[in-house]
Amino acid sequence: MKQYRIAAIPGDGIGTEVIAAGIEALAASAKRDGGFALSFDRFDWGTDRYKKTGRLMPEDGLEQIRAHDAILFGAVGAPDVADHITLWGLRLAICQPFDQYANVRPTRILPGIVSPLRNVTGPELDWVIVRENSEGEYAGVGGRVHKGLPEEAATDVAMFTRSGVTRIMRFAFALARSRPRKFLTVVTKSNAQRHGMVMWDEIAAEVAREFPDVNWDKMLVDAMTMRMTLRPETLDTIVATNLHADILSDLAAALAGSLGIAPTANLNPERKFPSMFEPIHGSAFDITGKGIANPVGTFWSAVMMLEHLGQPVAAARLMRAVEFATANKSLHTPDLGGRAMTKDVTRAVCEAIAGDNR
Ligand code: ATP
């Protein structure tokens, strides 16, 4: 029987609650499937550890998880520690050295969920956003000098490399090809940013020639926000830079009903390193400890993890169980306007998995 070792990093705030739920759903999936087994190693990395030791993860943290088959991540961040410290100290400290350069964010309106977009009931909105996850605006290149003085200066340099842009374009075109519509929208800001973004456009056109069966178009990121809200049915697969896709995918999550639903995969497509799966929401300290965090974003991330591990049947079964739960309004958590608790949704999803005879 195939055995997978999963590194679970719940992190901060509701991260602990949704990862516990995700582990339950994954365990139920493996049990129902019978063809594979999952074991989970839990790591207590996060802001509490930072407050005690000065580090969010131990110095040899990457070594501890390098041999795992996948990473299930909750959230990092706390109200009393600066966001750039927690982000760079844990999430990016894993994504960057493990070369998880393709950040994949599917968005769809699940059964029973109401989009804030008038007239959008479901089929009109079915996207996958591919975010370049290793360079661009979040490359970490820059500096700050003359701190506190009137002449203080700070730079964040957006860095685009030919190899970095080419590999994310190839990934995005291949993903677009695997979807029924075979359609990719390349997002840029090449009218105003005339170096990196123009190279991005040129490389898109070059890579497009390798995928003659994929249709594609280009959008400026500002116009893209309008197209997403006014003509969602004209989009399918979308590729954008680290910053642009970060923003667009939050918009996408809101349009799909709640931040609590949206999943992410941080992939190292060559599988030299483990890939990482996480809900897109943060630690949400306003609801931490209340037992009302929506676990659906984590469940959907777990679906992506099962697909990545090569278990498409179990992945589809878990997704059906999630859709069964969202279709039932009495299983909606407060972010969706309901009164259900995390444990109610988790129990319903696990029961649906166990009872799925397909
Ligand atoms: P960060 O850790 O990135 O600073 P945050 O704590 O500010 O994030 P977000 O994740 O950005 O919170 O979410 C904003 C708000 O949306 C939260 O404060 C919370 O009320 C709500 N929210 C987010 N995720 C969930 C969820 N899974 N279930 C229910 N509500 C959620």
Side-chain angles (χ1 to χ4, degrees):
M1 193 193 313
K2 190 85 191 134
Q3 279 280 151
Y4 302 108
R5 275 182 75 207
I6 311 300
I9 309 176
D12 300 330
I14 62 167
T16 324
E17 300 165 37
V18 293
I19 293 306
I23 290 175
E24 271 188 63
L26 279 165
S29 297
K31 186 168 174 215
R32 166 65 186 80
D33 192 90
F36 67 95
L38 298 168
S39 65
F40 296 91
D41 295 317
R42 288 186 183 73
F43 297 86
D44 67 343
W45 304 346
T47 307
D48 283 345
R49 180 178 239 285
Y50 170 78
K51 287 180 186 162
K52 283 185 219 132
T53 68
R55 293 184 65 97
L56 282 106
M57 63 193 275
E59 222 157 325
D60 68 343
L62 291 176
E63 292 316 312
Q64 293 185 31
I65 58 175
R66 186 183 294 271
H68 284 75
D69 294 294
I71 304 162
L72 188 64
F73 188 87
V76 65
D80 52 350
V81 180
D83 281 342
H84 67 274
I85 292 179
T86 49
L87 185 63
W88 283 96
L90 187 56
R91 207 181 146 274
L92 292 178
I94 297 171
C95 282
Q96 297 224 342
F98 282 175
D99 208 16
Q100 295 165 347
Y101 64 83
N103 182 249
V104 181
R105 301 182 160 197
T107 308
R108 195 149 70 69
I109 300 183
L110 299 183
I113 307 290
V114 179
S115 169
L117 287 179
R118 206 170 6 113
N119 306 330
V120 171
T121 54
E124 304 87 349
L125 198 163
D126 182 353
W127 307 329
V128 185
I129 299 181
V130 176
R131 166 181 173 187
E132 201 298 314
N133 209 29
S134 67
E135 53 176 43
E137 305 87 346
Y138 300 168
V141 178
R144 198 160 158 192
V145 291
H146 311 308
K147 265 197 188 171
L149 299 175
E151 55 274 40
E152 180 169 359
T155 58
D156 277 291
V157 179
M159 195 183 64
F160 299 97
T161 64
R162 175 163 283 277
S163 59
V165 179
T166 304
R167 67 184 184 174
I168 199 67
M169 283 300 166
R170 286 210 174 106
F171 180 89
F173 271 96
L175 182 64
R177 176 185 267 169
S178 75
R179 288 172 50 88
R181 286 175 64 188
K182 300 190 193 314
F183 178 64
L184 178 69
T185 298
V186 176
V187 177
T188 70
K189 188 62 191 169
S190 50
N191 56 346
Q193 292 179 297
R194 59 200 174 131
H195 307 295
M197 290 282 77
V198 171
M199 185 177 81
W200 177 272
D201 277 352
E202 285 170 11
I203 293 174
E206 285 166 27
V207 172
R209 280 184 229 122
E210 300 168 21
F211 295 86
D213 53 334
V214 175
N215 286 320
W216 69 290
D217 64 4
K218 274 192 309 195
M219 284 302 285
L220 295 176
V221 65
D222 40 354
M224 185 65 175
T225 58
M226 287 196 276
R227 183 162 164 194
M228 287 169 72
T229 46
L230 301 178
R231 293 185 297 134
E233 70 288 353
T234 67
L235 294 164
D236 188 78
T237 310
I238 297 159
V239 63
T241 68
N242 215 332
L243 169 68
H244 292 163
D246 187 14
I247 298 167
L248 295 180
S249 56
D250 260 31
L251 172 61
L255 298 180
S258 166
L259 202 50
I261 292 176
T264 296
N266 299 284
L267 299 179
N268 172 248
E270 289 76 26
R271 296 172 185 260
K272 275 196 235 151
F273 302 99
S275 294
M276 181 158 78
F277 302 82
E278 53 169 343
I280 82 163
H281 64 75
S283 44
F285 270 82
D286 53 330
I287 57 161
T288 298
K290 296 187 177 157
I292 55 167
N294 190 343
V296 168
T298 303
F299 294 156
W300 196 345
S301 306
V303 169
M304 298 180 84
M305 191 177 97
L306 289 171
E307 282 166 358
H308 180 78
L309 292 174
Q311 297 297 338
V313 174
R317 195 183 289 119
L318 176 52
M319 197 66 214
R320 278 197 297 278
V322 169
E323 295 188 23
F324 163 81
T326 60
N328 181 346
K329 289 217 171 5
S330 72
L331 292 171
H332 284 191
T333 42
D335 56 306
L336 295 173
R339 299 175 57 183
M341 313 276 290
T342 313
K343 64 174 178 1
D344 303 325
V345 188
T346 308
R347 190 185 318 116
V349 165
C350 291
E351 283 172 6
I353 294 166
D356 185 329
N357 292 322
R358 268 208 261 167

